């Protein structure tokens, strides 16, 4: 037993030496903030869609994963978070280690960074896992209500609400719409340029706010098409090739390519 402990000592010392020291790192406060155009997003508020229809949102949840900063020049990355579930309806985020309503705090080595990069959805190695293995507050727990089944895994993006379905577009939001997107094929990567931001220990006390804005209206439109929330008001993604899948893919691509800044 004594020989085993002696053999493990160098390894333990090495692990201790490699453990990140917050005192020698810049503190990043990452905040995902939903907007509708220039307005702050709030559940129950009536907004105008790009197609001119009044709509309101009741549920708005989004998985982001592999959140990292990209170093300028080398392309090497610093990890900020593995997987996060944002529930914008109740202004709460969930990570494997914490939950809260404010910014997500992470620590990185002082350096110059060119971009923040993340994936929309859950990586395949986690998407096929058992949600029952996680504690209730974990973002991948079955308690979060964002898991379909063993075949399809997690709902990457969940948007539910009501829309005006009148032909004159002058009525109240009364028709329900449900957008649930997911599956490994719809995992998307988003990279937002930072313009060579230097995160150091000396400036601003080594603490930096990193706001990421998400414009909900950009999810409904692109240069080729504007989604009519009343006519195309339902998708659960499956099966591949179906109108459900085509709508889910368009929503996902709009989200990844247009909504973030």
């Amino acid at each position: 037993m004594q020989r085993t402990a002696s053999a493990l000592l160098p390894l333990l010392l090495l692990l201790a030496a490699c453990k990140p020291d917050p005192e020698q790192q810049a503190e990043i406060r990452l905040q995902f903030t939903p907007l509708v155009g220039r307005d702050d997003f709030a559940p129950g508020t009536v907004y105008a869609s790009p197609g001119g229809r009044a709509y309101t949102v009741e549920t708005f949840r989004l998985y982001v994963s592999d959140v990292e900063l990209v170093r300028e020049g080398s392309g090497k990355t610093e990890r900020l978070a593995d997987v996060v579930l944002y529930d914008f309806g109740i202004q709460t985020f969930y990570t494997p280690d914490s939950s809260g309503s404010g910014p997500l705090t992470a620590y990185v080595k002082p350096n110059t960074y060119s971009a923040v990069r993340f994936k929309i959805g859950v990586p395949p190695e986690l998407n096929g896992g058992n949600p029952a293995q996680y504690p209730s507050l974990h973002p991948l727990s079955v308690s979060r209500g964002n898991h379909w089944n063993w075949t399809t895994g997690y709902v990457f993006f969940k948007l539910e609400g009501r829309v005006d379905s009148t032909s004159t577009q002058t009525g109240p939001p009364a028709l329900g719409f449900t957008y649930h997107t997911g599956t490994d094929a719809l995992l998307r990567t988003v990279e937002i340029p930072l313009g060579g931001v230097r995160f150091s220990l000396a400036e601003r006390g080594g603490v930096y706010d990193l706001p990421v804005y998400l414009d909900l209206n950009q999810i409904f439109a692109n240069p080729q098409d504007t989604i009519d929330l009343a006519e195309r008001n339902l998708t659960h993604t499956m099966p591949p090739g179906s109108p459900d899948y085509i709508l889910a893919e368009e929503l996902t691509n709009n989200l990844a390519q247009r909504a973030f800044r």
Side-chain angles (χ1 to χ4, degrees):
M1 187 65 164
Q2 186 175 1
R3 287 196 300 272
T4 303
S6 299
L8 286 174
L9 183 58
L11 176 60
L12 294 174
L13 291 175
L14 177 62
L15 291 174
C18 294
K19 185 178 180 180
D21 180 4
E23 295 295 328
Q24 300 301 318
Q25 295 182 310
E27 179 180 328
I28 307 299
R29 298 187 299 198
L30 179 68
Q31 181 78 56
F32 273 67
T33 301
L35 305 171
V36 181
R38 296 184 178 181
D39 297 326
D40 292 334
F41 167 77
T45 301
V46 177
Y47 300 104
S49 74
R53 292 192 181 277
Y55 75 95
T56 184
V57 172
E58 298 162 355
T59 301
F60 184 9
R61 298 177 190 165
L62 176 69
Y63 276 112
V64 297
S65 58
D66 297 340
V67 187
E68 54 194 13
L69 292 175
V70 182
R71 290 188 193 176
E72 187 169 325
S74 70
K76 294 182 178 179
T77 59
E78 289 282 344
R79 182 63 61 99
L80 301 182
D82 293 328
V83 60
V84 188
L85 173 62
Y86 284 96
D87 190 335
F88 297 116
I90 58 175
Q91 298 182 346
T92 300
F93 71 84
Y94 302 89
T95 75
D97 303 314
S98 64
S99 63
S101 58
L104 189 157
T105 300
Y107 297 90
V108 301
K109 296 176 182 178
N111 216 310
T112 301
Y113 295 92
S114 61
V116 58
R117 179 192 295 156
F118 54 89
K119 293 182 176 67
I120 297 171
V122 178
E125 63 271 19
L126 297 176
N127 197 33
N130 181 2
Q133 69 181 301
Y134 300 106
S136 61
L137 290 180
H138 193 284
L140 300 178
S141 169
V142 68
S143 300
R144 298 295 98 228
N146 258 53
H147 189 266
W148 271 316
N149 53 52
W150 293 105
T151 303
T152 49
Y154 290 89
V155 182
F156 293 174
F157 170 58
K158 179 179 286 189
L159 188 66
E160 301 169 354
R162 296 189 175 277
V163 60
D164 168 23
S165 61
T166 63
S167 58
T168 56
Q169 299 189 16
T170 56
L175 176 69
F177 67 86
T178 298
Y179 299 142
H180 293 179
T181 71
T183 75
D184 292 343
L186 294 185
L187 187 70
R188 295 289 185 269
T189 298
V190 176
E191 186 166 313
I192 305 173
L194 294 179
V197 174
R198 173 75 184 178
F199 297 132
S200 71
L201 297 179
E203 299 174 12
R204 306 178 189 174
V207 179
Y208 298 85
D209 291 315
L210 185 58
V212 175
Y213 297 100
L214 192 176
D215 184 352
L216 187 59
N217 265 357
Q218 294 296 323
I219 301 171
F220 305 131
N222 59 59
Q224 289 74 44
D225 184 39
T226 297
I227 296 172
D228 188 323
L229 279 72
E231 292 184 1
R232 304 174 72 190
N233 64 332
L234 177 65
T235 177
H236 290 286
T237 303
M238 300 298 284
S242 67
D244 261 27
Y245 185 88
I246 292 170
L247 177 55
E249 186 175 37
E250 184 174 354
L251 290 165
T252 299
N253 289 340
N254 289 348
L255 175 61
Q257 297 169 9
R258 300 176 55 82
F260 292 98
R261 60 180 175 84

